[in-house]
């Protein structure tokens, strides 16, 4: 009986010491100070584009928020016919970043075939208009966005858009 009470006492002390609370360290305090001053924080941009079959493209919405973009650094470098290339540039036309976007007017649809086979069928549907978005880390050199479409293995300029970063939301 005495063995069990010593074992229970030992386990109680072990769990009690393992769950000891500590004071916040300075690194946590400095992070909260940085979060209060949004001017020193990196920002993530979300830009929503509108495009239609008549080659009209525009920025429909744009948002900015404090944070670090954790998306894949390796974006697609392969482009297929009618894909878009978004080139982000400074005021002098110096390229800051390029992003390849799969053709937003081509929607891939999968469905179960009408016959009783139960097979999945894939089909591409051409849309008249579409919205698409890109997310990226804010960079001070982002002042213009050049939108190009790949046609017959050559990039065709669709539009050059001036860009002003929205305030943080």
């Amino acid at each position: 009986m005495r063995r069990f009470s010593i074992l229970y006492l030992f386990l109680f002390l072990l769990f009690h010491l393992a769950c000891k609370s500590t004071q916040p360290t300075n690194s946590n305090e400095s992070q909260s100070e940085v979060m209060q001053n949004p001017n020193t924080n990196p920002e993530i941009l979300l830009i929503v584009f509108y495009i239609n079959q008549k080659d009209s493209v525009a920025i429909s919405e744009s948002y900015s928020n404090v944070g670090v973009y954790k998306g894949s650094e390796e974006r697609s470098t392969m482009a297929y016919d009618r894909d878009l290339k978004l080139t982000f540039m400074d005021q002098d036309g110096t390229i800051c970043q390029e992003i390849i976007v799969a053709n937003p007017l081509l929607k891939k649809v999968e469905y179960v075939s009408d016959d009783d086979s139960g097979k999945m069928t894939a089909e591409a549907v051409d849309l008249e208009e579409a919205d698409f978005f890109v997310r990226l880390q804010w960079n001070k050199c982002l002042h213009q966005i050049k939108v190009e479409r790949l046609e017959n293995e050559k990039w065709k300029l669709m539009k050059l858009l001036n860009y002003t970063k929205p305030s943080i939301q």
Side-chain angles (χ1 to χ4, degrees):
M1 187 73 159
R2 182 176 156 104
R3 237 185 223 164
F4 286 118
S5 48
I6 292 174
L7 179 65
Y8 285 129
L9 179 64
F10 176 73
L11 288 174
F12 173 76
L13 290 174
L14 179 69
F15 287 128
H16 181 68
L17 293 174
C19 297
K20 180 181 174 186
S21 63
T22 60
Q23 295 294 327
T25 61
N26 287 340
S27 65
N28 290 340
E29 291 170 3
S30 64
Q31 284 178 352
S32 65
E33 289 173 10
V34 170
M35 292 300 285
Q36 292 172 357
N37 186 359
N39 295 329
T40 62
N41 288 333
E43 297 175 38
I44 300 171
L45 291 179
L46 173 73
I47 306 171
V48 181
F49 293 88
Y50 166 82
I51 187 170
N52 65 22
Q53 288 285 357
K54 298 175 183 169
D55 288 346
S56 175
V57 64
I59 297 173
S60 56
E61 297 177 80
S62 182
Y63 303 99
S64 176
N65 206 341
V66 175
V68 176
Y69 179 62
K70 297 177 184 169
S72 174
E73 289 296 320
E74 293 183 24
R75 296 183 189 234
S76 175
T77 57
M78 291 290 299
Y80 301 99
D81 203 34
R82 307 209 30 94
D83 283 354
L84 302 179
K85 178 169 68 170
L86 304 175
T87 306
F88 298 89
M89 304 179 298
D90 66 5
Q91 292 173 344
D92 300 327
T94 304
I95 297 173
C96 303
Q97 185 175 358
E98 287 184 337
I99 298 174
I100 303 292
V101 178
N103 183 359
L105 295 173
L106 186 65
K107 175 105 174 168
K108 295 173 184 132
V109 180
E110 292 182 1
Y111 57 91
V112 178
S113 62
D114 290 338
D115 59 9
D116 292 331
S117 66
K119 292 183 180 179
M120 292 292 290
T121 304
E123 193 174 299
V125 178
D126 284 322
L127 302 173
E128 290 294 319
E129 59 186 23
D131 288 320
F132 68 96
F133 69 92
V134 293
R135 256 183 288 198
L136 63 143
Q137 194 70 49
W138 165 249
N139 187 335
K140 288 183 180 180
C141 84
L142 300 178
H143 293 284
Q144 296 179 8
I145 304 171
K146 181 167 58 170
V147 182
E148 298 171 287
R149 174 181 281 145
L150 185 62
E151 291 183 4
N152 300 322
E153 299 182 12
K154 293 184 182 178
W155 290 105
K156 174 189 166 194
L157 178 65
M158 292 179 69
K159 193 155 193 179
L160 183 62
L161 303 163
N162 289 319
Y163 183 73
T164 303
K165 181 180 78 79
S167 59
I168 295 175
Q169 296 191 1

